[in-house]
């Protein structure tokens, strides 16, 4: 038992060290949003999904707050403005301005038989999603519609 504890401790220590060394992928929410706005992926006031039930308007967030100052770029996903289905989940403003999602907030276990797929802003059939080469996927997040079991997978191969 003691050996397992030591092994787990060493593995967690190693992963912490690798995280600490990887500062090249750190970015502030403000810079991340500005890049996406410059690329016309999102509008001036996207919705920011911080947790499964917490959404905020970017314009009302203090993007300079220390919590948002050193985020892992790989932990952020953009659902571009005018994406299919997003309005059903997060409302009209999400379709108009897009969404920034904190990946760590979404550890959903969807029913893959009922999952809907949106690729680069356009809804696709599951059969099409099965043919996508995983090496081409730059970001992926599953969002659950409140008070339902409906989930949508948003995949991006661009950006």
């Amino acid at each position: 038992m003691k050996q397992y504890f030591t092994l787990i401790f060493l593995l967690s220590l190693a992963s912490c060290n690798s995280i600490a060394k990887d500062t090249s992928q750190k970015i502030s929410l403000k810079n991340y949003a500005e890049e996406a706005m410059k690329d016309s992926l999102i509008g001036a006031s996207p919705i920011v999904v911080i947790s499964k039930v917490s959404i905020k308007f970017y314009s009302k967030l203090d993007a300079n707050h220390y919590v948002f100052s050193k985020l892992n770029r790989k932990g952020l996903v953009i659902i571009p403005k005018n994406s299919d289905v997003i309005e059903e989940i997060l409302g009209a403003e999400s379709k108009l301005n897009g969404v920034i999602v904190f990946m760590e907030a979404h550890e959903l276990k969807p029913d893959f038989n009922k999952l809907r797929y949106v690729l680069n802003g356009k809804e696709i059939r599951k059969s099409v999603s099965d043919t996508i080469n995983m090496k081409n996927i730059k970001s992926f997040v599953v969002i659950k519609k409140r008070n339902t079991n409906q989930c949508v997978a948003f995949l991006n191969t661009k950006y």
Side-chain angles (χ1 to χ4, degrees):
M1 185 70 163
K2 205 173 192 182
Q3 293 171 330
Y4 290 118
F5 177 77
T6 305
L7 180 62
I8 291 171
F9 177 75
L10 290 175
L11 288 173
S12 63
L13 185 61
S15 67
C16 289
N17 285 339
S18 66
I19 291 169
K21 291 177 187 174
D22 184 21
T23 57
S24 63
Q25 291 296 314
K26 300 294 181 184
I27 190 167
S28 73
L29 179 61
K30 183 178 182 199
N31 291 345
Y32 187 77
E34 286 174 355
E35 284 177 21
M37 286 176 200
K38 188 172 114 182
D39 294 338
S40 298
L41 298 173
I42 58 175
S45 189
I47 290 178
V48 180
V49 179
I50 298 170
S51 70
K52 290 180 187 175
V53 293
S54 174
I55 60 173
K56 306 280 183 193
F57 286 101
Y58 176 76
S59 60
K60 295 181 181 179
L61 278 179
D62 177 7
N64 293 319
H65 191 279
Y66 73 92
V67 170
F68 303 121
S69 65
K70 291 184 181 178
L71 300 171
N72 184 343
R73 181 183 289 274
K74 290 182 180 180
L76 298 169
V77 174
I78 290 194
I79 300 172
K81 59 186 177 180
N82 300 317
S83 287
D84 289 351
V85 188
I86 193 65
E87 186 174 7
E88 294 175 30
I89 299 171
L90 297 174
E93 196 67 34
S94 63
K95 182 151 186 151
L96 181 63
N97 283 301
V99 180
I100 299 173
V101 182
F102 286 71
M103 282 289 292
E104 292 83 14
H106 291 354
E107 296 177 15
L108 299 176
K109 296 176 182 156
D111 179 353
F112 287 101
N113 295 323
K114 296 179 182 178
L115 191 62
R116 295 168 70 183
Y117 293 88
V118 176
L119 175 64
N120 298 324
K122 300 296 174 201
E123 189 166 12
I124 59 172
R125 293 187 319 270
K126 183 177 180 339
S127 60
V128 173
S129 72
D130 291 340
T131 65
I132 299 171
N133 184 341
M134 293 306 284
K135 290 180 182 178
N136 295 333
I137 300 212
K138 299 212 180 327
S139 63
F140 172 88
V141 68
V142 176
I143 304 251
K144 182 179 177 191
K145 189 173 180 179
R146 266 190 201 177
N147 303 322
T148 70
N149 287 332
Q150 181 184 16
C151 291
V152 180
F154 291 89
L155 301 100
N156 293 319
T157 57
K158 300 178 181 180
Y159 329 130

